[in-house]
Amino acid sequence: MGSSGATPGTPAGGPSAPGRQAGGTPRAALAELLAGNRRFVSGQPVHGHDVTAAAAAASGDQQPYAVVLGCIDSRVPLEAIFDQTFGAICVIRTGGHVLDRAVCGSIEYVVGQLGVPLVMVLGHERCGAVGAAVDALRAGERPGGSLSHLVDEIAPAVIEAGLDDPAVHPLAIRRHVRRTVRTLRDDDLLAGPVAAGRVAVVGGLYDLATGEVALVDPA
């Protein structure tokens, strides 16, 4: 997972690595992430997609200030929509930003070993994974293979939104973001740093039409 510059075994929320980007606080990290999205939306990115092997080599030791958990959707390239360069953010992508032990362990590592103060869960409009869960629940048929895990994890948000509601898909997307945020805030190794204010876990929603990321309230 890369050199951390921290002592192995440091608990989540422990000492930050030196040279931490973006001020080292959850608020500063979130401000930097959203500022990058504003640059992206305005068509004035600092980094954009113009990245090279030389830029990667020059990034040095990784000192990210945020970890972003997003969907695998090919229309949502996370480094691009937040206008971030090599070494700035850690990215995890799964279908519908669904959690499993590997994802949670990766986030625990980034927070505990790299001293990252911000975790963002990013959903997006017209999410296919959420659509698959809606379709499966309406049909009353659980899909085969590991796709069933995605459906099972998203299904509670669909049920909360109301399966018969015509707007169930967009409503479920937002509810699923909120549920994922709550799960991470309650994680055994994250709950303490979150309660102490050293780490923030926030939700966001990416608009495919405008490119804008809006924060999703935790309610």
Side-chain angles (χ1 to χ4, degrees):
M1 283 184 278
S3 175
S4 67
T7 303
T10 301
S16 296
R20 179 70 47 219
Q21 299 185 43
T25 67
R27 179 177 294 181
L30 182 58
E32 170 60 23
L33 203 60
L34 295 179
N37 179 243
R38 288 194 295 273
R39 295 194 300 269
F40 171 76
V41 172
S42 69
Q44 298 178 319
V46 174
H47 307 291
H49 288 280
D50 185 19
V51 292
T52 64
S59 63
D61 292 338
Q62 66 164 330
Q63 294 183 3
Y65 68 85
V67 54
V68 182
L69 169 61
C71 183
I72 61 170
D73 193 295
S74 60
R75 300 165 294 178
V76 192
L78 298 179
E79 290 90 346
I81 67 176
F82 287 112
D83 187 33
Q84 300 298 310
T85 190
F86 293 99
I89 61 174
C90 293
V91 167
I92 303 171
R93 298 177 68 172
T94 66
H97 58 78
V98 163
L99 297 172
D100 60 19
R101 290 186 67 187
V103 171
C104 291
S106 297
I107 294 172
E108 291 169 356
Y109 173 85
V110 171
V111 170
Q113 299 297 312
L114 303 186
V116 167
L118 178 69
V119 181
M120 173 173 277
V121 177
L122 188 68
H124 67 93
E125 303 287 357
R126 306 198 301 275
C127 179
V130 174
V134 171
D135 292 343
L137 288 172
R138 282 180 170 169
E141 297 179 359
R142 190 168 181 267
S146 296
L147 178 57
S148 61
H149 175 68
L150 296 186
V151 169
D152 290 346
E153 292 299 303
I154 298 171
V158 176
I159 293 170
E160 286 180 4
L163 195 56
D164 296 327
D165 192 316
V168 61
H169 193 172
L171 291 173
I173 289 170
R174 287 161 177 77
R175 287 184 176 273
H176 181 48
V177 169
R178 294 184 182 113
R179 289 179 62 88
T180 306
V181 167
R182 287 198 300 269
T183 298
L184 287 173
R185 287 177 177 173
D186 291 339
D187 177 272
D188 288 345
L189 295 186
L190 300 180
V194 168
R198 296 193 301 271
V199 175
V201 183
V202 301
L205 189 67
Y206 178 67
D207 189 321
L208 293 172
T210 67
E212 183 177 0
V213 171
L215 294 180
V216 174
D217 66 85

